[in-house]
């Protein structure tokens, strides 16, 4: 699967922890991320990630484009709902496209864990 990993700044620690815990699940998939998120995860894990631009510079839109082209299968996007983002329209567009194309989308860590556990189960079958 092609999986996108994204986190707003206050959620970077959480996505790194998630990637460390589920590294054994993620490492059989093709991973993508927005710029800073990808760098942080690669610093702390052995995962190889294709990095798009940073979110505020168009990274969310690049991932949205992949969704519309049918080449992104899952999105884990740990949003910060308590901080205004300068690129809020891009964030909303990415979430909207995930729903338009019915891509599994986790916007918080609890949902991300459920998706990753399901991926783990599927890969064991
Ligand atoms: O802003 C983001 C998503 O909207 C994340 O971008 P970075 O991973 O570059 O911080």
């Amino acid at each position: 699967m092609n999986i996108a990993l994204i986190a707003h700044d206050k959620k970077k620690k959480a996505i790194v922890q998630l990637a460390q815990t589920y590294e054994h699940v993620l490492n059989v998939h093709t991973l993508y991320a927005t710029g800073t998120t990808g760098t942080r995860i690669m610093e702390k894990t052995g995962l190889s990630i294709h990095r798009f631009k940073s979110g505020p510079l168009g990274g969310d839109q690049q991932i949205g484009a992949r969704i519309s082209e049918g080449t992104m299968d899952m999105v884990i996007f740990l949003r910060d709902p308590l901080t205004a983002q300068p690129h809020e329209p891009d964030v909303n567009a990415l979430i909207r496209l995930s729903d338009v194309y019915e891509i599994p989308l986790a916007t918080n860590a609890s949902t991300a864990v459920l998706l990753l556990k399901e991926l783990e189960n599927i890969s064991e079958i």
Side-chain angles (χ1 to χ4, degrees):
M1 281 180 105
N2 292 333
I3 302 175
L5 302 167
I6 315 165
H8 286 148
D9 287 350
K10 288 185 183 163
K11 301 290 179 180
K12 293 280 197 287
K13 211 182 271 183
I15 205 159
V16 167
Q17 268 174 2
L18 201 64
Q20 287 173 329
T21 305
Y22 290 93
E23 185 165 349
H24 64 290
V25 177
L26 290 168
N27 68 10
V28 299
H29 298 280
T30 305
L31 303 177
Y32 299 84
T34 47
T36 319
T37 302
T39 301
R40 293 283 153 74
I41 295 172
M42 282 197 286
E43 280 168 359
K44 301 285 184 182
T45 67
L47 294 169
S48 168
I49 303 177
H50 174 87
R51 290 167 57 244
F52 291 116
K53 287 180 183 285
S54 184
L57 299 178
D60 300 73
Q61 296 226 29
Q62 289 180 291
I63 292 171
R66 296 304 191 283
I67 293 171
S68 70
E69 289 160 356
T71 58
M72 197 61 76
D73 305 306
M74 181 182 286
V75 175
I76 293 177
F77 187 173
L78 302 191
R79 293 175 60 227
D80 174 5
L82 299 178
T83 307
Q85 304 292 327
H87 56 303
E88 203 68 53
D90 296 8
V91 172
N92 290 336
L94 174 52
I95 290 170
R96 181 181 166 276
L97 283 173
S98 298
D99 288 340
V100 169
Y101 290 93
E102 300 199 21
I103 303 295
L105 162 72
T107 57
N108 62 62
S110 305
T111 312
V113 166
L114 289 178
L115 289 184
L116 290 166
K117 283 188 173 165
E118 183 58 17
L119 275 189
E120 190 173 29
N121 289 339
I122 291 169
S123 63
E124 280 170 6
I125 294 169

